[in-house]
């Protein structure tokens, strides 16, 4: 059985939810991982695409519903460390995420040292409009 402290649950709750990516072409759902509720995971739940079906990953699976952010564990500094998948290459990178200013989430993917990475700022989206096969609409 997995137990989660009240402090861990409160820290996680600020990141749990739906997030619009910086480019405004994707929506992620961040929630406790199914295998370990003390860690956070993220699934691609909304995509902006024009084809009949959503994009496929390198293995031919739909990116709709794919777990992209995995195994994020909270550190004492308030940041969450885990991995992020690039579905087009199949490569997994180290990642850090944390609560930004206002209602934003900061996500940094990197190789080796976080100094050699890229940070994106995502915005919370309270009521995303998502249709079949993760097709999203941004108003």
């Amino acid at each position: 059985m997995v137990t989660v402290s009240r402090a861990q649950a409160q820290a996680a709750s600020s990141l749990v939810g739906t997030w619009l990516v910086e480019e405004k072409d994707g929506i992620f759902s961040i929630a406790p991982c199914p295998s370990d509720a003390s860690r956070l995971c993220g699934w691609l739940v909304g995509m902006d695409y024009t084809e009949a079906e959503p994009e496929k990953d390198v293995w031919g699976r739909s990116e709709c519903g794919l777990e992209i952010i995995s195994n994020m564990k909270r550190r004492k500094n308030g940041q969450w460390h885990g991995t992020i998948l690039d579905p087009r290459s199949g490569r997994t990178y180290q990642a850090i995420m944390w609560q930004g200013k206002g209602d934003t989430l900061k996500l940094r993917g990197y190789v080796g040292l976080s100094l050699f990475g890229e940070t994106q700022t995502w915005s919370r989206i309270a009521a995303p409009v998502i249709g079949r096969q993760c097709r999203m609409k941004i108003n």
Side-chain angles (χ1 to χ4, degrees), residues 11 13 17 21 26-27 29 35 47 49 55 66 81-82 86 127 131 133:
S13 68
V21 301
I27 297 174
S29 173
S35 61
M47 301 167 60
Y49 59 95
E55 291 186 42
L66 191 63
H81 292 245
D86 176 352
Q133 297 181 308

Side-chain angles (χ1 to χ4, degrees), residues 23-38:
E23 298 84 15
K24 299 189 180 354
D25 62 355
I27 297 174
F28 277 80
S29 173
I30 305 288
C33 299
S35 61
D36 184 346
S38 70

